[in-house]
Amino acid sequence: VVYRVPYKKNYKEKNTLRQTIFIAFCALSEAKGMDIKMAIKDKVKKQQSFFIVIIKKMLHNPRLMFKMINPRRIRNCFIILRTEGIASAMTHLRLVEEYERSRTVQLSESNWDIVKVSEEAKDIVQYERLRFVNQENPEVSIIIPVYNQFDYTYHCLASILKHSEGCSYEVLIANDCSTDLTVCLEEIVEGITVINNTENLRFLRNCNNAASYAQGTYIVFLNNDTQVQEGWLTWLLALINSDTTVGMVGSKLIYADGYLQEAGGIIWKDASAWNYGHRQNPNDSEYSYVHEADYVSGASMMIRGTLWNEIGGFDERFVPAYCEDSDLAFEVRKHGYKVMYQPKSVVAHFEGVSNGTDVTTGQKKYQIENQKKFYEKWKEELKEEHFDNGKNVFWARERGKAKKHILVIDHYVPQYDKDAGSKTTFMYLKMLTEKGYRITFLGDNFYQDEPYTTKLQQMGIFVLYGPKYAENWKEWLMENMQYFDIFYLNRPHIAIKYIDIIKQNAQGKIIYYGHDLHFLRFKREYELNGDSRQLEEARKWKKQELYIMRRADMNYYPSITEIDEIHKLDQTIRVKAITAYVYEQFEIEEYHAEQREGLLFVGGFGHAPNLDAVRWFVKDIYPGVYEKTGAPFYIVGSKAPEEITQITTDGVVVKGFVSEEELQSLYRNCRMSVVPLRYGAGVKGKVVEALYYGVPVVTTTVGAEGIEGLENIAVVKDSEEELIVAICETYNNIEGLEYMSKKSQQYVKERYSLDTAWNVIKEDFE
């Protein structure tokens, strides 16, 4: 088969193609536990079609596929294929492919909007006019201290004008007795305020003086030898407005050549400092998440105006310059606020333009002198809260000395708007960060999936992605597992890869969340269709899942049903039922049945039980319901296969994947939710979500599993005839529907709140 694969006559990569296909066939053979001949003759259509897709991709781009296909990856694809369906396997393959494509992107100056600054003398008329809009009540006051270097100042202003759209700000130029074209600045720049000092105040006093003119709620100090990038100010505002305890925020600083200058700063116990990430790739995940920092550079930092006034500005013991930004950060913390690093606010900094880099001459010589002053002022804090020079960088970079650290491992960054499992992972990540834990997230495909990755990073989570981690994950884990107090593993086909190396080498606690019992799900599918292969799958998963549970210190599952099944097999396994779906806000949804119409099904089609449920409902149940009610049936879910998208049955509306906003609209306009699951395991997120929105539910025993007391607020039936009758009667019972809606919302509020979820697990994280 390998040597008979067709190829074009002018194809020059035949050997690469053959090697790639051979790897794929060998991996398939290993994944399915059978020889290559059996793999080729596999009669399971979903596995055949998936393998055909792989071969087509090989033919189209063999070099790329040779990079992305290896036995481990193919094996993972087929595990996902068996456990979650062809759509999930295709998604996994796509993410791997996109990840490999992303590796070819090289760091380049072209990634940033940086204008080369001229060192030649110019006439003022050679510069284009810049027009800023005067703001009566600006939200931000941008203070730019200036002493000569007019060309830098001009391009700094031009970048602000270009990249600060949508923000309300004023610009204050603190001109410290410049003698170059700076004196003519107002001739070509409109809408700014120029503060002309009558005497040379030098940097620190110049900033303090200019700040007294600021009208904004927030003050931003920005060096004139900088050029801000798109969205720089928007992201600073977003972070400082997101939390009242954030007092100061700093930008990611890059050099003009595109490399990183600083991703927040570290102060060591001896008062020496590090520009964290110096000369590294600024796009690396290590430098791309929000976190606390010991200090942020005065080249670009935002502080609350009231806090600035309360502190009294920069401490003048550090006149004329250096260590004043570090000192301010310590003062901010002393006043009860946090100092944060915002990686999405990017600013190019031409470091050394103003004062050079030689610490023995000029103003730069004050750097050594002021470091001694800084140490004397803060030596107690340095002793208690900081590390010896260069030690424990993993903790030091985010002020994590006194905080617990958790490594969360899952198959990929949670796509919280696409599947219930991802939503559960996302909500628990959010809860743990809000409880003060430091989180590192390892997605097994190491892919920077957007916008989901940025969402986690803005929550303060370090997400591992990119070739550095994909190729060296084991080395990274061995080097850093000492820093983690808890390892939170998800899903059996992912946990099995990591649990042994962690168990053998780490001191931290291992918590395993299975999401559902795979062996129970396959067993039920076998009982439904009699396919012996499902029974064999159930046996395999039982062995693997029990192995993981016995290795873990604590195991989580969504319902008491799974706990009972586990303890039937092994009473010694430590396991508890957790609240799988967590809600932070509970707004009463107005429900008026007469103003609504239609039945709603929500569920990703990468999960085989959902596909089976819709097939069954459309074929055997919905026609009878539609005949008596005329109610449309809305099908919502990601990864819908062709057999779903091409349904032509009267009344059926296939929506496929929808945004969170559209999904909420459907919940608020549909009269009922139907969940006709015939097999599966665990608590069904679609049921809980419908209850949260106050939408009355009709489901099966499988759909109701693990949701204690659901039969008191929803309708639970199993046969086709019973479901048809129940749906029709419920749909037309206006008073009954409105009662069910009220009880549903009350039920979720009592059982699925943040506090309820935390009370179940908090002892495991202490």
Side-chain angles (χ1 to χ4, degrees), residues 284-286 394 397 407-409 413 440-448 453 457 461-466 468-470 473 476-477 480 484:
D284 192 302
S285 59
E286 190 174 347
F394 189 94
R397 66 188 178 194
L407 176 62
V408 179
I409 301 177
V413 171
T440 298
F441 182 88
L442 188 159
D444 187 58
N445 66 344
F446 295 97
Y447 177 60
Q448 186 182 357
T453 301
Q457 290 171 327
I461 296 174
F462 172 24
V463 183
L464 303 180
Y465 58 77
K468 182 168 82 172
Y469 304 104
W473 67 267
W476 180 90
L477 195 56
N480 294 292
F484 295 105

Side-chain angles (χ1 to χ4, degrees), residues 285-500:
S285 59
E286 190 174 347
Y287 314 116
S288 299
Y289 69 103
V290 167
H291 58 78
E292 282 193 69
D294 288 339
Y295 76 94
V296 290
S297 172
S300 175
M301 67 181 187
M302 172 184 284
I303 186 171
R304 296 178 184 273
T306 52
L307 180 58
W308 169 265
N309 293 329
E310 185 180 324
I311 291 171
F314 289 127
D315 188 338
E316 294 200 0
R317 78 180 72 188
F318 298 105
V319 166
Y322 293 107
C323 295
E324 75 286 334
D325 48 7
S326 303
D327 175 75
L328 183 63
F330 275 59
E331 287 285 0
V332 166
R333 278 189 292 274
K334 183 178 178 180
H335 284 71
Y337 292 86
K338 293 184 288 190
V339 177
M340 306 296 293
Y341 160 70
Q342 173 54 283
K344 299 294 282 186
S345 173
V346 181
V347 174
H349 182 209
F350 298 82
E351 188 184 37
V353 168
S354 301
N355 302 307
T357 57
D358 186 351
V359 296
T360 64
T361 61
Q363 187 160 291
K364 193 77 173 176
K365 68 183 179 182
Y366 292 102
Q367 186 170 343
I368 302 299
E369 183 179 329
N370 283 354
Q371 183 179 320
K372 296 176 183 177
K373 295 179 182 178
F374 178 85
Y375 177 80
E376 288 302 316
K377 181 178 179 180
W378 298 106
K379 58 185 176 182
E380 292 304 317
E381 286 80 356
L382 291 168
K383 179 181 178 181
E384 292 296 322
E385 301 174 12
H386 296 255
F387 294 99
D388 291 331
N389 196 309
K391 302 292 185 181
N392 296 307
V393 177
F394 189 94
W395 287 334
R397 66 188 178 194
E398 54 186 45
R399 292 188 59 78
K401 186 176 184 180
K403 298 176 181 177
K404 284 197 171 184
H405 286 64
I406 305 172
L407 176 62
V408 179
I409 301 177
D410 204 347
H411 52 182
Y412 45 72
V413 171
Q415 300 174 334
Y416 46 80
D417 57 352
K418 292 185 178 180
D419 66 86
S422 285
K423 183 169 285 188
T424 299
T425 299
F426 176 75
M427 290 307 300
Y428 271 81
L429 286 170
K430 190 172 184 182
M431 179 171 63
L432 290 168
T433 56
E434 289 174 356
K435 293 295 181 181
Y437 293 90
R438 300 304 307 154
I439 309 291
T440 298
F441 182 88
L442 188 159
D444 187 58
N445 66 344
F446 295 97
Y447 177 60
Q448 186 182 357
D449 193 12
E450 296 294 359
Y452 309 105
T453 301
T454 293
K455 184 74 173 180
L456 295 190
Q457 290 171 327
Q458 287 298 302
M459 288 163 53
I461 296 174
F462 172 24
V463 183
L464 303 180
Y465 58 77
K468 182 168 82 172
Y469 304 104
E471 296 172 2
N472 305 290
W473 67 267
K474 189 174 291 186
E475 290 76 11
W476 180 90
L477 195 56
M478 290 296 293
E479 182 179 340
N480 294 292
M481 66 172 64
Q482 61 181 306
Y483 298 116
F484 295 105
D485 302 283
I486 297 164
F487 298 87
Y488 186 28
L489 312 184
N490 288 264
R491 307 175 207 276
H493 67 280
I494 299 300
I496 195 68
K497 174 180 172 181
Y498 297 92
I499 194 165
D500 283 340

Side-chain angles (χ1 to χ4, degrees), residues 44-54 81 86 90:
V44 181
K45 289 185 178 179
K46 67 179 183 180
Q47 294 171 351
Q48 282 184 333
S49 60
F50 180 62
F51 199 68
I52 288 169
V53 169
I54 295 175
L81 182 68
I86 190 167
M90 288 303 303

